[in-house]
Amino acid sequence: MTHRSNRTLQVAGLARVEGEGALHVRTVDGEVDRVELNIYEPPRFFEAFLRGRHFREPPDITARICGICPVAYQMSACLAIEDACGVRVEGPLRALRRLLYCGEWISSHALHIYLLHAPDFLGFPDGIALAREHRSVVERGLALKKAGNRIMDLVGGRAIHPVNVRVGGFYRVPTTDEIRGLTTTLRQALHDALATVEWVAAFDFPELEVPHDLMALRDVEGYPLDRGTPHISTGRSFPVAEFGDHVAEHQVPHSTALHARLDDRLFLVGPLARYSLNSDRLSPVAGEAASMAGLGPVCRNPFRSIVVRAVEVVYALEEALQIIDSYERPDAPCVEVAPRAGFGHGITEAPRGLLYHRYELDAAGRILDADIVPPTSQNQSAIEADVTAVVRSHQHLDDHGLQSLCEQTIRNYDPCISCSAHFLDLTRERA
Amino acid sequence: MTWVPTPYRVVARTVETHDSATLTLRPVAESLPGFRPGQFAMLYAHGVGEVPISISAIPGDGTLVHTIRAVGAVSRALHDAEPGTVIGARGPFGTAWQLDGVEDLLVVAGGIGLAPLRPVLGHLSKRTVLIAGARTPQDLLYKDELGQLSSVDTVLTVDHGDHDWHGRVGFVTEPLASLPFDPERTTALLCGPEPMMRFCARTLLGRGLAPDRIQVSLERNMQCGIGVCGHCQLGPLLLCRDGPVTGYPTARPLLSAKEL
Amino acid sequence: MPSIAVWKFTSCDGCQLTLLDCEDELLPLTEHVRIAHFLEVTSVSEPGPYDISIVEGSVSTPEEAERIRWIRDQSAILVVVGACATSGGIQALRNFADVDEFRSIVYARPEHITALATSTPISAHVTVDHELRGCPIDKGQLLEVLTALLAGRAPDLPDTSVCTDCKRRGLTCVMVAHGTPCLGPVTHAGCGALCPAVNRGCYGCFGPMNQPNVPALVPLLRRSGMGDDELHLVFRTFNANAEWS
Amino acid sequence: MASQVFDLSGLDALIGVLRADGRVVVGPLLRDDAITLAEVKSATDLPSGWGVEIGPGHYRVRRRTDTAVFGHSAGPQSWKRFLHPPHRTLMSSDSSGFHAVQDDTPDYAFLGVRACDLAAIGKLRQITGGRAPFVVAAQCTEPGEVCFCTSMGCGPAAGPGYDIALTERIDEQGQRFLATSGTAEGAAVLARVPAREAVPEDIALAEQDVDAAARNMGRAMPELDLRDLLAAGRDSAHWEAVAERCLTCGNCTMVCPTCFCVSVEDHTDLDGNAERAQRWASCFEIDFSYLHGGAVRTSGAARYRQWMTHKLGTWHDQFGTSGCVGCGRCIAWCPAGIDITEEAAVLSQTMKHGGDRR
Ligand SMILES: Cc1cc2nc3c(=O)[nH]c(=O)nc-3n(C[C@H](O)[C@H](O)[C@H](O)COP(=O)(O)OP(=O)(O)OC[C@H]3O[C@@H](n4cnc5c(N)ncnc54)[C@H](O)[C@@H]3O)c2cc1C
Ligand code: SF4
Ligand code: SF4
Ligand code: SF4
């Protein structure tokens, strides 16, 4: 008989995740009876507020859904509105957007790797305790994060909720000198990023292969970041405008976050999906780092997502350096965007995975309807499935050990709970 | 024009009331030039800030004596400074009480306003009357010391008494209204809240004292002491330079203007 | 070592993240304060009381209204950070919705979702010692408050217009020189004039300055091309619930 | 003093000489659609052919029909930025004591200082002290729409205090500068600049241009004793009227070349080291007049009154001169377009009609 065949694990406040959530696990007779990732983050009704607002406002307003990945919100919002207005932002302005996005990836991933996730693998309660024994390692992580923030400060005007992003481009574009001024910092950061890959690749990873479908963007060239078409590991893909036909959100009793399903199946977005569908698209140095770290063309072990993140940081830095090298200050900081009636869709790859925005505008540019599907709500069911699998295969652990492992499993996804609680769409509730 | 304070060490600290204490400061090395009654120093508490504080006694041995009421962060830090603490001082700044040719002296103080007037008391062989007011008996400064000044007739009054208080209750204007004095020989020195000084001056003028026989000490925000920060303007005056002590003819129109 | 606790209410996490964005100061700071509670960063959670509590987010659920009282009780100094905590944040837009309709919508499934009809600042519930404005707060101001509290001095947090910072930075006024509508003249300083620095008009994310003269600004905004609609929206965004006039 | 004439290459040579002597040359530079002040390394950095269109609360750069480099009036910044920087550390304090800070102000040469600003530099330095900059003045031949230096006795001809004064002229004979030295140091610098000797006609033309400018001022102060006006107008109801329009944003004080007020703040680091630093302050800030318990000047009316009264009135009491030089910056850069000359005029009118609010 396994000891304690009936047990309940309760984590009232999940630590080292962005936003607030809890975990309830119950096993009965050794069988997992219930796993609930309970998101009690209060709802903030963003889609409801967006109705009636002006079409230039979503980049600023939706950024406030999440302080961890505001650029992702701004980028998806801009794409969706530009789509509605029949505009595409190309050339140097798009390159600048990509650069800004690289900044967010670097900063967000460095934060997650060093302060939130690595302590799990090394047995520390937090990054600060980790720093007490490995000061220079944590300092390296903070330096990486700072490099990402420097990009956001320069291109976005502010690292959190950037002020310089607008529909059509930017308010002010940096001068060539300002942009080139980043080079030294980013070169050093690239060095640190490679050291990071090496560091995390040596961690011990519990065995777990997720069976879910993986979904990520794929673009005509490059690793997906600021645009692309949704692709699924089954080989299928669909146009951005059909996102709503495939991904459906539904409310579950235990959470203020909506759960999403892809064609009624469990699925996963984020680094694992992105990597597995695009590992052929990594830049040379990042590709090499990936194989040195032992990542194959596909990676389905969520615990290894920390390695994928580290590789993505390398990619983002290489990409940023490349953009900086070929930067020439655009003549105008943005392209003109005139409102028109219709729908627009926008998807980009937030650090945590696909972020979808859809807007309906009237001819005067007033928003009639808005829909936002953030990565965490797409991943929620998969996270619960993972926790179930982990509990099932680690019954031998004591409560404390099992609980830590469950928490780590959740942290594998770097779930951003603040953003997952954006929704509770007023009309939808009414319906 | 220096912003660098001169280090002084607290050598004695006397608790005066529940929120006020008197510090005696001895120079660590160099000392500042001598102060005259009515002038002030900018006292600096390390890392907390610098504020204007009047000189409240002039022992003549190179020490500085200040009485400080704790009302905010800086005054709290100074007030709390234990013996041994090093404090920065700059000064002397501002104008002094004009005592040349003074015959009878009438000193009226409200609250901490007694501190800058203390150096005047007992240092003159003139006939001196002191009227000092405070909110409660617990707020009265230098109570024991005042009783020992034989050359000073002291009248104490409080806004709110308690069962241990057998003295006067009421504003300083009340004893002032009935006090016998010779308007031809008397000089009045006033220091306290602005409304108090206005009412006292009005009472004195009403009793025949000429405006130029009244001196007041005025207060405005001060951040430099050397006339460069601009905060201490009161109409035409830069109070750190043209004040704090001014004659009533100058002060009168300024005190009567709203929000000047 | 003084203990410090960081708490989250209804918010986006951005203000807490600002603390982690102090990349150079974070580790030195942990040598001078003990992080006793900070869910986003550590699994360690010590019981109270705490010397300093930093609170992010607004009060938007009954549970939060209760929790903030407990935190106040446990904290010697309470610092509230960001537009959510100081004015109710963007989620306070609900305060302007039809409350009855709103209730029926929100409580359609009361067993799942509880939310108050309003999103309110922390100061509407308990007394606060220091307020940091901004959506998000400024990193320099956060460090200023922390170093000031550790040194026992009053933090330097001017409550004047953004213009004063703009001019100190030597930026050119976007309203006067470019005709761009700007809320700088009525908005609380603290960001360092970020928007004018990118040729954009300030959109008020630090909320109103002390005694803003909004009626005097409105005709100027109109002159710069803002219509009634935009005028209405621009004051109803990140600090909708604040006292603009 | 002897005068000489040179063209743009001579001006470039002048900049070169000043730089060769180790000075940081600061002059007008077009940036973000405004003529700002920044380091200039050669004459090509100057805003050749750029002029401005200015009004209350309004400023636009515009193309000129010629290539004048000093053909613009006062911009958003003044020399105050360099002589009295917006932020300055005053002293530091640590366990070893109190320390003065190293003055790292560069050796400045200001290029293109208008008469009004030259006067302002004098008034500012009277209060703040500090090292004198090397001044290359540019006499004003084309005042802007908000200028009134003539009323204030500060221009358009450069008053005392310059090392070199330039007068720019563009006609059939091309673009040239008449340069006159005002100090021995100025003369020594000029001696190293290739130029031709000025002939009487050069000087006559320059005088004629500057005289014409004096008659072309965009604005004027009412002709009366401003100091008396403001002292008498302390309780005027007019202040309330201005307060309705005034944003109390403080822009006027920040752009004014003589407003010198600063607030002093303390900063500490985690290791217990402290610094005191000053930053530009404004009498429009409510905290400016804070006394324990609350600010003295809380109403917008009282704060506007303070600013204008100080500029035009009590500055005389405090420093023996007016605080205003008539550069017009406060008019242009006030978002609300509040015009100090007009407010003075209206105040004097209300005073005449007995507009005393008591
Ligand atoms: C000429 C003069 C002499 C003074 N003499 C004494 C004295 O002998 N004993 C005494 O206890 N107090 C005296 N004061 C008052 C004392 O300066 C203030 O109580 C003190 O500045 C309060 O500072 P704080 O930081 O503790 O308080 P807060 O109220 O928090 O003040 C914040 C800041 O505002 C400014 N400020 C506030 N109140 C005043 C004020 N009354 N005057 C000037 N600046 C102010 C200071 O810069 C101060 O740091 C004098 C003031 C002046 C002008
Ligand atoms: S008051 Fe106005 S016109 Fe006069 S010097 Fe100052 S900015 Fe120039
Ligand atoms: S006008 Fe105001 S800011 Fe300017 S010097 Fe006078 S008091 Fe200072
Ligand atoms: S006068 Fe103009 S610039 Fe000055 S504070 Fe008032 S609105 Fe601002």
Side-chain angles (χ1 to χ4, degrees):
Chain A
M1 197 186 103
T2 44
H3 62 289
R4 281 185 260 155
S5 55
N6 286 351
R7 54 180 177 168
T8 307
L9 297 179
Q10 287 266 27
V11 186
L14 286 165
R16 282 181 282 128
V17 297
E18 286 111 5
E20 302 210 321
L23 176 70
H24 298 271
V25 177
R26 200 169 70 195
T27 62
V28 176
D29 293 337
E31 276 304 303
V32 182
D33 173 58
R34 206 161 62 128
V35 168
E36 284 176 0
L37 175 55
N38 176 327
I39 290 185
Y40 54 79
E41 181 83 24
R44 291 171 72 213
F45 312 109
F46 269 86
E47 283 107 328
F49 300 149
L50 282 164
R51 273 183 218 149
R53 304 290 306 202
H54 194 251
F55 78 115
R56 295 195 193 279
E57 293 187 285
D60 290 324
I61 291 185
T62 62
R64 267 69 182 188
I65 292 175
C66 175
I68 318 287
C69 51
V71 171
Y73 280 88
Q74 296 189 318
M75 292 300 128
S76 289
C78 285
L79 285 195
I81 288 165
E82 286 154 11
D83 180 40
C85 301
V87 170
R88 263 176 90 88
V89 175
E90 298 289 351
L93 286 177
R94 183 199 162 202
L96 263 185
R97 282 185 167 177
R98 225 174 135 79
L99 177 60
L100 176 64
Y101 220 142
C102 286
E104 178 157 291
W105 272 30
I106 297 164
S107 181
S108 174
H109 278 357
L111 170 72
H112 186 255
I113 295 170
Y114 281 90
L115 293 184
L116 311 187
H117 208 194
D120 279 338
F121 291 95
L122 302 170
F124 291 93
D126 52 49
I128 292 154
L130 178 63
R132 255 173 241 131
E133 290 191 25
H134 307 278
R135 176 93 177 201
S136 60
V137 170
V138 177
E139 276 173 349
R140 180 179 68 204
L142 289 168
L144 258 181
K145 181 164 145 29
K146 190 174 171 187
N149 278 352
R150 270 202 64 189
I151 299 178
M152 288 197 282
D153 275 328
L154 176 64
V155 182
R158 169 158 75 186
I160 303 172
H161 305 335
V163 296
N164 193 21
V165 173
R166 67 187 294 179
V167 173
F170 297 89
Y171 290 89
R172 176 184 182 274
V173 280
T175 62
T176 317
D177 281 353
E178 288 168 339
I179 284 282
R180 301 273 145 83
L182 293 170
T183 312
T184 323
T185 309
L186 298 189
R187 289 234 173 88
Q188 174 59 42
L190 181 56
H191 198 77
D192 290 342
L194 288 167
T196 305
V197 176
E198 215 173 295
W199 181 57
V200 297
F203 291 171
D204 268 344
F205 301 101
E207 285 306 321
L208 182 68
E209 288 280 305
V210 291
H212 328 303
D213 290 351
L214 308 175
M215 179 163 71
L217 295 183
R218 213 173 139 78
D219 200 358
V220 284
E221 51 169 20
Y223 201 74
L225 195 61
D226 60 328
R227 70 180 185 200
T229 311
H231 277 65
I232 306 164
S233 49
T234 54
R236 282 178 308 121
S237 79
F238 54 81
V240 174
E242 287 171 19
F243 187 87
D245 302 336
H246 296 273
V247 178
E249 288 182 298
H250 57 96
Q251 197 184 355
V252 293
H254 60 266
S255 175
T256 57
L258 298 178
H259 283 209
R261 291 189 150 238
L262 172 63
D263 297 324
D264 220 24
R265 284 157 63 95
L266 273 188
F267 72 115
L268 205 65
V269 298
L272 284 191
R274 210 154 45 211
Y275 176 85
S276 298
L277 291 165
N278 292 280
S279 53
D280 59 325
R281 289 289 177 72
L282 286 171
S283 50
V285 179
E288 205 173 302
S291 51
M292 297 252 289
L295 291 176
V298 169
C299 175
R300 279 181 170 275
N301 181 345
F303 291 94
R304 281 187 193 272
S305 66
I306 191 169
V307 185
V308 175
R309 277 189 195 92
V311 168
E312 286 189 339
V313 174
V314 173
Y315 173 81
L317 282 161
E318 258 190 296
E319 176 75 0
L321 280 164
Q322 198 266 318
I323 294 171
I324 286 169
D325 259 0
S326 51
Y327 181 74
E328 278 189 35
R329 195 181 199 206
D331 295 331
C334 67
V335 294
E336 280 308 312
V337 180
R340 69 175 194 198
F343 291 89
H345 309 263
I347 299 194
T348 65
E349 284 282 358
R352 287 149 197 83
L354 282 190
L355 169 58
Y356 169 77
H357 286 223
R358 181 186 62 95
Y359 298 96
E360 183 187 358
L361 306 183
D362 71 9
R366 206 183 312 264
I367 296 168
L368 300 174
D369 192 31
D371 190 17
I372 295 169
V373 183
T376 297
S377 71
Q378 300 177 64
N379 279 344
Q380 261 212 278
S381 307
I383 298 174
E384 289 182 354
D386 281 12
V387 174
T388 309
V390 162
V391 172
R392 199 169 282 145
S393 56
H394 290 83
Q395 290 284 325
H396 57 282
L397 293 177
D398 63 10
D399 280 2
H400 178 75
L402 187 58
Q403 181 173 318
S404 308
L405 193 61
C406 288
E407 289 184 59
Q408 188 179 357
T409 305
I410 293 170
R411 281 195 281 270
N412 284 337
Y413 290 88
D414 189 7
C416 190
I417 292 176
S418 340
C419 52
S420 63
H422 69 98
F423 41 85
L424 197 83
D425 178 318
L426 288 183
T427 22
R428 206 188 326 226
E429 277 304 297
R430 201 180 335 205
Chain B
M1 182 162 105
T2 180
W3 284 97
V4 184
T6 301
Y8 275 73
R9 195 179 302 281
V10 178
V11 291
R13 177 174 184 272
T14 316
V15 175
E16 302 286 357
T17 70
H18 62 100
D19 63 0
S20 305
T22 298
L23 304 183
T24 305
L25 307 173
R26 175 160 299 143
V28 170
E30 302 285 293
S31 62
L32 295 173
F35 284 68
R36 286 178 295 145
Q39 290 191 300
F40 68 94
M42 293 297 290
L43 293 187
Y44 173 68
H46 169 80
V48 186
E50 193 185 51
V51 290
I53 301 289
S54 305
I55 198 86
S56 76
I58 305 178
D61 60 355
T63 58
L64 300 178
V65 178
H66 295 280
T67 303
I68 299 142
R69 184 169 157 229
V71 297
V74 185
S75 51
R76 161 71 55 198
L78 292 170
H79 168 277
D80 290 353
E82 292 296 336
T85 313
V86 173
I87 279 175
R90 295 187 297 127
F93 296 130
T95 52
W97 300 111
Q98 274 310 322
L99 301 171
D100 295 345
V102 162
E103 291 163 290
D104 296 350
L105 201 56
L106 170 55
V107 174
V108 188
I112 189 74
L114 185 53
L117 282 164
R118 184 167 76 153
V120 171
L121 303 172
H123 279 262
L124 292 167
S125 47
K126 319 285 171 198
R127 190 181 103 96
T128 302
V129 177
L130 166 69
I131 303 177
R135 280 187 50 244
T136 71
Q138 284 72 45
D139 293 307
L140 277 170
L141 288 176
Y142 318 128
K143 251 178 302 191
D144 301 341
E145 180 185 320
L146 292 177
Q148 285 158 22
L149 291 173
S150 50
S151 59
V152 182
D153 292 336
T154 302
V155 181
L156 300 179
T157 175
V158 298
D159 301 350
H160 311 283
D162 60 23
H163 46 264
D164 291 335
W165 178 251
H166 304 297
R168 281 174 163 274
V169 174
F171 297 114
V172 285
T173 37
E174 288 169 21
L176 201 58
S178 55
L179 186 83
F181 66 82
D182 177 355
E184 300 303 315
R185 289 175 51 88
T186 301
T187 296
L189 312 181
L190 314 181
C191 186
E194 268 181 34
M196 176 216 110
M197 292 193 287
R198 267 201 326 265
F199 285 123
C200 289
R202 192 184 297 165
T203 307
L204 291 168
L205 295 178
R207 296 194 55 205
L209 198 66
D212 62 1
R213 285 186 163 272
I214 305 175
Q215 298 172 31
V216 293
S217 180
L218 302 171
E219 204 178 34
R220 278 297 177 270
N221 184 302
M222 282 181 195
Q223 307 198 6
C224 71
I226 49 181
V228 301
C229 81
H231 287 260
C232 69
Q233 294 178 59
L234 174 60
L237 309 179
L238 266 176
L239 276 187
C240 71
R241 185 189 75 185
D242 310 325
V245 177
T246 59
Y248 197 60
T250 306
R252 185 184 196 171
L254 305 177
L255 289 180
S256 66
K258 228 178 99 193
E259 292 193 76
L260 195 61
Chain C
M1 268 208 284
S3 61
I4 183 163
V6 181
W7 309 95
K8 179 180 153 59
F9 284 69
T10 306
S11 64
C12 81
D13 271 47
C15 292
Q16 304 184 49
L17 182 64
T18 307
L19 191 57
L20 303 182
D21 274 358
C22 303
E23 290 97 358
D24 295 332
E25 298 85 3
L26 185 65
L27 296 180
L29 187 68
T30 60
E31 287 156 18
H32 292 89
V33 299
R34 200 176 69 252
I35 297 187
H37 178 93
F38 188 174
L39 212 45
E40 182 164 332
V41 167
T42 175
S43 320
V44 172
S45 176
E46 295 176 15
Y50 311 99
D51 293 304
I52 302 170
S53 271
I54 298 179
V55 174
E56 169 193 277
S58 67
V59 173
S60 82
T61 66
E63 177 274 332
E64 287 181 329
E66 230 157 80
R67 185 156 55 105
I68 191 59
R69 265 180 227 113
W70 179 84
I71 291 171
R72 173 72 271 190
D73 275 354
Q74 296 291 316
S75 314
I77 296 172
L78 186 67
V79 182
V80 299
V81 297
C84 300
T86 58
S87 82
I90 188 164
Q91 55 275 13
L93 283 172
R94 78 178 68 175
N95 303 6
F96 304 96
D98 178 331
V99 176
D100 283 339
E101 181 187 87
F102 182 82
R103 258 185 230 285
S104 68
I105 296 162
V106 172
Y107 295 107
R109 295 187 198 165
E111 74 276 24
H112 303 163
I113 309 288
T114 45
L116 293 172
T118 55
S119 165
T120 42
I122 302 299
S123 62
H125 301 264
V126 296
T127 51
V128 304
D129 299 301
H130 298 282
E131 275 199 349
L132 283 188
R133 299 286 200 88
C135 184
I137 55 169
D138 175 76
K139 168 172 144 178
Q141 289 207 322
L142 178 62
L143 288 169
E144 166 61 14
V145 164
L146 292 176
T147 51
L149 292 177
L150 294 177
R153 68 187 160 84
D156 171 24
L157 304 169
D159 59 5
T160 52
S161 70
V162 169
C163 301
T164 57
D165 274 347
C166 185
K167 289 298 178 295
R168 279 189 284 254
R169 264 185 87 166
L171 301 175
T172 296
C173 176
V174 295
M175 188 129 86
V176 169
H178 308 161
T180 305
C182 179
L183 299 196
V186 295
T187 300
H188 198 285
C191 68
L194 291 176
C195 289
V198 295
N199 291 340
R200 175 182 191 180
C202 165
Y203 59 91
C205 83
F206 272 58
M209 68 192 260
N210 192 353
Q211 293 191 32
N213 190 352
V214 174
L217 184 68
V218 166
L220 311 179
L221 296 175
R222 259 187 228 286
R223 192 183 68 187
S224 315
M226 271 197 176
D228 284 342
D229 262 16
E230 278 169 285
L231 271 170
H232 175 76
L233 293 175
V234 78
F235 290 106
R236 287 240 169 128
T237 315
F238 307 110
N239 289 281
N241 198 41
E243 300 269 325
W244 283 100
S245 46
Chain D
M1 297 247 177
S3 298
Q4 57 194 58
V5 175
F6 47 70
D7 61 8
L8 205 57
S9 65
L11 186 62
D12 195 54
L14 172 62
I15 296 172
V17 168
L18 292 169
R19 284 171 58 81
D21 290 350
R23 295 189 178 93
V24 173
V25 180
V26 179
L29 203 103
L30 180 72
R31 201 183 64 202
D32 288 332
D33 296 321
I35 311 282
T36 60
L37 297 176
E39 178 167 9
V40 293
K41 297 192 168 150
S42 79
T44 52
D45 289 343
L46 299 172
S48 167
W50 284 101
V52 292
E53 166 199 307
I54 314 190
H58 178 84
Y59 178 102
R60 292 290 183 281
V61 286
R62 62 170 173 87
R63 271 283 174 200
R64 297 174 58 91
T65 53
D66 61 20
T67 57
V69 293
F70 298 125
H72 48 82
S73 39
Q77 298 163 347
S78 76
W79 308 96
K80 173 167 87 173
R81 165 162 300 278
F82 304 93
L83 293 174
H84 181 52
H87 296 271
R88 191 161 75 88
T89 306
L90 301 171
M91 70 104 173
S92 66
S93 168
D94 58 29
S95 51
S96 70
F98 310 126
H99 314 284
V101 284
Q102 213 67 72
D103 180 10
D104 52 7
T105 315
D107 202 355
Y108 280 124
F110 293 163
L111 174 66
V113 178
R114 268 151 221 295
C116 54
D117 280 350
L118 182 61
I121 290 172
K123 290 174 198 284
L124 186 64
R125 290 195 56 246
Q126 180 192 353
I127 299 163
T128 61
R131 188 146 36 112
F134 186 95
V135 172
V136 181
Q139 304 216 81
C140 201
T141 55
E142 207 184 284
E145 295 88 328
V146 294
C147 293
F148 57 100
C149 63
T150 310
S151 309
M152 303 315 293
C154 296
Y162 61 81
D163 295 284
I164 297 173
L166 301 177
T167 317
E168 185 176 24
R169 182 165 233 277
I170 302 179
D171 56 19
E172 320 75 60
Q173 293 169 39
Q175 177 171 18
R176 60 193 185 279
F177 303 87
L178 173 74
T180 309
S181 58
T183 59
E185 209 184 349
V189 167
L190 270 188
R192 291 155 65 198
V193 176
R196 70 166 166 82
E197 201 71 30
V199 296
E201 199 202 338
D202 294 316
I203 296 168
L205 280 174
E207 276 174 5
Q208 177 191 314
D209 289 348
V210 174
D211 281 352
R215 293 187 301 273
N216 280 333
M217 284 291 135
R219 275 174 168 63
M221 269 290 175
E223 286 191 30
L224 41 82
D225 188 323
L226 295 168
R227 186 180 171 188
D228 286 351
L229 171 69
L230 288 150
R234 188 176 285 152
D235 294 310
S236 168
H238 182 59
W239 303 118
E240 308 281 355
V242 192
E244 277 181 26
R245 283 171 284 138
C246 175
L247 300 156
T248 66
C249 58
N251 274 304
C252 47
T253 55
M254 297 283 159
V255 297
C256 177
T258 67
C259 267
F260 59 88
C261 291
V262 288
S263 284
V264 182
E265 298 296 344
D266 296 86
H267 298 285
T268 43
D269 68 14
L270 291 166
D271 298 320
N273 304 311
E275 258 182 15
R276 306 207 82 218
Q278 69 178 29
R279 63 154 174 267
W280 287 354
S282 164
C283 51
F284 282 94
E285 300 168 338
I286 292 182
D287 262 3
F288 188 83
S289 63
Y290 179 83
L291 283 183
H292 176 67
V296 175
R297 292 186 285 271
T298 52
S299 71
R303 287 179 278 153
Y304 187 87
R305 176 185 65 188
Q306 163 62 27
W307 133 256
M308 185 162 147
T309 304
H310 190 217
K311 285 280 98 167
L312 304 177
T314 53
W315 204 290
H316 285 281
D317 300 284
Q318 294 166 8
F319 307 110
T321 169
S322 170
C324 174
V325 298
C327 70
R329 282 188 181 86
C330 58
I331 305 173
W333 299 98
C334 168
I338 295 175
D339 177 344
I340 192 169
T341 64
E342 199 180 308
E343 299 311 327
V346 176
L347 180 66
S348 77
Q349 285 309 309
T350 43
M351 294 303 292
K352 272 190 204 136
H353 298 108
D356 194 329
R357 69 180 164 190
R358 277 184 313 166

